[in-house]
Amino acid sequence: MADLSSTFVGIKSPNPFWLASAPPTDKAYNVERAFKAGWGGVVWKTLGEEGPPVVNVNGPRYGAIWGADRRLLGLNNIELITDRDLYVNLREIKQVKKNWPDRALVVSLMVPCVEEAWKAILPLVEETEADGIELNFGCPHGMSERGMGAAVGQVPEYVEMVVRWCKANTRMPVITKLTPNISDIRKPARAAHAGGTDAVSLINTINSITGVNLDTFSPEPMIDGKGTHGGYCGPAVKPIAMNMVAEIARDPETAGLPISGIGGITTWRDAAEFMALGAGNVQVCTAAMTYGFKVVQEMIAGLEAWMDAKGHRTLSDVVGRATPNVTDWQYLNLNYVAKAKINQDLCIKCGRCHIACEDTSHQAITALVDGARHFEVMEEECVGCNLCVNVCPVENCITMEPLAAGALDKRTGEVVKPVYANWTTHPNNPSAQVAAE
Amino acid sequence: MATGLFKEGIASGRLPAAQVADNFADLHPRLDRHEAVVEADRCYFCYDAPCMQACPTSIDIPLFIRQIATGNPLGSAKTILEQNILGGMCARVCPTETLCEEVCVREVAEGKPVQIGRLQRYATDVAMAQDKQFFPRAAPTGKKVAVVGAGPAGLACAHRLAVKGHDVTIYEAKPKSGGLNEYGIAAYKAVDGFAQAEVDYILAVGGITVKNGQAMGRDFTLSSLAETYDAVFLGMGLAGVNALGGEGEEASGVSNAVDFIAELRQASDLTSLPVGRRVVVLGGGMTAVDAAVQAKLLGAEEVTICYRRGKESMNASTYEQDLAAANGVTIRHWMQPKRIVGVNGATVGIELEYTTVADGRLVGTGETVTLAADQVFKAIGQSFDAAPLNGSGPKIALERGRIKVDADGRTSMGKVWAGGDCVADAREDLTVAAVAAGRDAAESMHRVLVTA
Ligand SMILES: Cc1cc2nc3c(=O)[nH]c(=O)nc-3n(C[C@H](O)[C@H](O)[C@H](O)COP(=O)(O)OP(=O)(O)OC[C@H]3O[C@@H](n4cnc5c(N)ncnc54)[C@H](O)[C@@H]3O)c2cc1C
Ligand SMILES: Cc1cc2nc3c(=O)[nH]c(=O)nc-3n(C[C@H](O)[C@H](O)[C@H](O)COP(=O)(O)O)c2cc1C
Ligand code: SF4
């Protein structure tokens, strides 16, 4: 039986599934319920500095996009950090940690960008015996206008500075939560690393407008006719988040830096993919907000079953296994040739592959053969782009079949070479030619 | 004496009113907006979609479904009605299981086609609820066209002609327009007076005058129309009913299924409509199934369809047969009527002879069976009644007992087109086929009228 127990920057939890800092972790009531449901850990909803707490809007906080059957695909929010009193939160954190010693309890923090502010709050958190802190450098709305959250996360120098202050002022492990609203995610990760962070977590939410009301011409979510860019999360952001995790995982400058993967994780499979790309554990928000805490039971059972089936005993057998396979385009093997193949027994003759290829790709799929509706790939035209596979409604009906070395590529008229060759040495590459001369 | 369900003979009030109302409720209740969007999402938007090919009116099905999915039901309705102005009725009565839905790739893939008919109904309902008219009339051409018969063929023809700017007069023998939509289609397929609502919707285009109670052959002649109008369209359907040729057919209790259905469709109170305790329906088509099912829904205790050939030869689709079975109708094969058993002029039973195929011909085996029956409905086919063509009869060529037309719907007589059930062409006797024929004839008439 696979062992799901996790140790992340020294913090132990019975499984790698943590709830991300957000409404699900806003107070003891929720967190107690989450732990009862089986979550391995939580990152408490972000605390701010002492004094009157922030106020939230009193209208809608969320916008969303849905599939046809109202499946929630993406969620957007304009909520701020906790609007509860600091000391109430701290008391609850202390009590919950006492009640659940085997679960991870990390406290998310966001205070003004001055060392005094951090110096003031860190001892208060330490006193709760929480397992660690997460620096919220990600919140993209509201707090960033006040010089916090993403306003810090978007300036690598500030990231490094604040991390350094925290490391200097607490014994607790420090996890730096990154904003995706930046063009190169490696920059803040490197900065956090330089400042001495124990780990990074990502992604926080992405600036977004989920819709526009075409009657009132106001963006959604709408507050009294106006809207603002909220933070996007949920299944839709997963591909973006995974790329960012992988970029950090394979960056030589941050090699080995623990990563807590966040963004759209909804099923065990999502979690496994994040971990394979280099995340040591994962955090979840939208899936819990959509389905309730019970979803973790599917995640645990699914991850266990997959690990058992594949013979992975512990999480370390999985974490980072896909990282070496993430590379730059220029290193992809140009001698790898694949052709689409349509399984005629599975084909339901919808013709989507044909029209996709005909109108937008390489005119490589028939529509009629001998007067009958028949869809078949013409190998001499197929560039192997895979579009037909992706638009085909039947799973595994169209497959990409690699040509073996020595086989003839009917499109180019060339024989498939047995050796690896990439763009860096390709004759059409001006830089390569210069090098060759 | 037994009451209600078990009253002997032919009697009304077999079931409580609430039960009857429930029995005759919408066969396929309408989809609400969300259901429609979810169902629309199942459509793959096929290239050169098979469903479109299968639709006799060639509605752009993938497009109208996509318009539903994207929240544009009015646009969707326009796509439908552009090809088929009776798209609302067709959505209710088309045997989609043998038309568009039969060839839906999802039927092929998983045995669950996209519910095209119900989606079509959703979109057309939205448009009709708003009385949204999509097709403004072209400038008047000054041409006058007469249409005989306000059934699907005649209405589709008239509408298309009106849109093209011609002035149309429809002559309809019955007091109400709609043809079999009003008098023939099973009640549970077109509830809440839909047939008349659709007629009103179609006529709202303008330029169409309907003269009800005007029968050709009785009130006017074809030649008089041909003299007065620039063109004539005949959409008279099938006014005749095939006879049984059996003994005792004249007994009370024996009637035409189509008459029973027409009476049922016109009844203001279904509980006052009498039906037998034991009913036998002769035939194997849609009419037989409709009569049998509706007799059952009225409270007949025992309803049996007797068909003279095997299941595979039945004209009623598998879906219709299943519908009959689900409603408790028994279908028996390989038997033909021999004699109505009457007592004092009232039917008490029917004697049938078993049949078989010998040397490719259907023959009786000699063995007989007698079924108890208070009421017998004949549903052995309708026929074209050529008599109303009267004076001009000889001039209009018939073919297999119906009006002969060319590919454009033109009859052998100048200025006269025909379409729908009354013509002999390869199309099936279906509402949607009649619509296609009427529409196409209108296009052909228009081409001639504007060049004349
Ligand atoms: C019981 C029954 C159930 C059916 N169910 C279905 C079904 O579920 N789905 C389906 O697709 N099809 C069904 N059909 C078939 C469908 O109703 C017909 O194919 C369709 O109505 C044919 O349209 P039409 O316009 O040619 O003829 P009709 O609908 O018959 O209309 C002809 C019109 O012409 C009028 N007329 C006739 N003679 C004259 C005259 N001399 N002068 C003036 N007016 C005249 C008639 O009164 C009538 O209004 C059913 C048919 C029957 C009988
Ligand atoms: C309503 C809401 C409030 C959030 N508040 C915080 C917060 O206070 N601090 C923080 O670090 N992240 C916050 N987040 C971001 C989440 O922790 C998480 O990074 C993001 O939602 C992506 O994960 P997901 O796709 O699983 O939801 C919030 C998200 C939501 C939806
Ligand atoms: S792989 Fe691309 S080029 Fe080849 S058949 Fe499919 S869509 Fe066309």
Side-chain angles (χ1 to χ4, degrees), chain B residues 180-437:
Chain B
L180 289 171
N181 287 356
E182 175 60 35
Y183 293 97
I185 294 296
Y188 45 76
K189 289 186 187 169
V191 299
D192 300 330
F194 181 77
Q196 285 315 298
E198 187 176 55
V199 169
D200 294 343
Y201 178 78
I202 293 169
L203 297 181
V205 69
I208 305 175
T209 310
V210 187
K211 302 200 167 181
N212 287 103
Q214 290 290 310
M216 188 166 79
R218 184 187 73 196
D219 304 312
F220 59 90
T221 62
L222 176 56
S223 45
S224 67
L225 290 185
E227 273 160 33
T228 325
Y229 291 89
D230 298 300
V232 179
F233 176 79
L234 302 176
M236 304 152 69
L238 301 174
V241 178
N242 293 344
L244 214 48
E247 221 180 289
E249 213 178 317
E250 60 295 332
S252 89
V254 181
S255 59
N256 291 319
V258 286
D259 295 337
F260 165 64
I261 294 169
E263 207 183 327
L264 188 147
R265 285 294 307 276
Q266 299 308 310
S268 52
D269 172 15
L270 285 178
T271 57
S272 68
L273 191 70
V275 70
R277 178 175 178 185
R278 298 179 193 86
V279 176
V280 167
V281 182
L282 303 170
M286 196 117 76
T287 305
V289 169
D290 284 359
V293 170
Q294 291 177 106
K296 189 77 196 165
L297 297 178
L298 280 177
E301 184 188 357
E302 216 175 87
V303 178
T304 312
I305 291 177
C306 297
Y307 179 55
R308 60 195 180 125
R309 292 179 184 271
K311 181 178 167 64
E312 60 292 342
S313 312
M314 287 180 73
N315 268 337
S317 66
T318 308
Y319 171 81
E320 299 275 343
Q321 295 178 43
D322 290 348
L323 182 72
N327 279 287
V329 171
T330 308
I331 304 182
R332 298 183 69 167
H333 301 103
W334 298 112
M335 46 177 60
Q336 64 190 13
K338 191 158 179 237
R339 187 173 66 93
I340 301 292
V341 185
V343 172
N344 300 332
T347 301
V348 296
I350 178 168
E351 186 183 342
L352 298 119
E353 181 181 14
Y354 285 99
T355 54
T356 186
V357 173
D359 302 327
R361 280 186 50 237
L362 190 76
V363 293
T365 63
E367 187 190 351
T368 62
V369 61
T370 301
L371 303 180
D374 327 289
Q375 196 166 27
V376 174
F377 291 129
K378 297 176 287 182
I380 53 174
Q382 289 106 256
S383 55
F384 177 61
D385 178 8
L389 299 175
N390 66 22
S392 50
K395 287 199 213 134
I396 289 220
L398 300 186
E399 185 183 9
R400 282 177 280 121
R402 302 195 193 183
I403 300 172
K404 183 178 173 178
V405 289
D406 66 10
D408 279 348
R410 302 185 72 151
T411 69
S412 60
M413 187 172 161
K415 295 213 285 193
V416 181
W417 280 255
D421 284 359
C422 66
V423 309
D425 69 4
R427 293 191 251 228
E428 279 181 84
D429 290 346
L430 293 175
T431 309
V432 64
V435 173

Side-chain angles (χ1 to χ4, degrees), chain B residues 21-95:
Chain B
D22 200 37
N23 284 357
F24 283 89
D26 225 339
L27 181 60
H28 298 295
R30 69 174 64 198
L31 298 173
D32 70 20
R33 196 196 63 85
H34 180 73
E35 289 171 317
V37 168
V38 172
E39 187 61 20
D41 192 52
R42 295 185 64 232
C43 171
Y44 289 143
F45 203 67
C46 293
Y47 163 73
D48 193 14
C51 51
M52 228 176 120
Q53 315 268 346
C55 172
T57 53
S58 311
I59 294 172
D60 191 339
I61 296 167
L63 181 62
F64 95 68
I65 293 181
R66 195 168 177 80
Q67 288 171 306
I68 292 174
T70 56
N72 183 10
L74 286 179
S76 175
K78 184 175 181 202
T79 302
I80 295 162
L81 298 172
E82 217 157 43
Q83 289 294 107
N84 180 337
I85 195 65
L86 282 91
M89 183 59 85
C90 287
R92 291 162 167 80
V93 307
C94 273

Side-chain angles (χ1 to χ4, degrees), chain A residues 10 16 32 35 85 116 125 131 153 159 223 229 232 243 246 280-282 288 297 325 346 353 391 437:
Chain A
E32 289 273 350
F35 283 159
D85 179 72
E116 298 322 305
V125 178
D131 297 300
V159 172
I223 304 287
H229 59 82
Y232 202 40
N243 174 58
N281 75 357
V282 294
Q297 291 162 15
N325 293 330
L346 293 178
C353 57
V391 303
E437 272 163 19

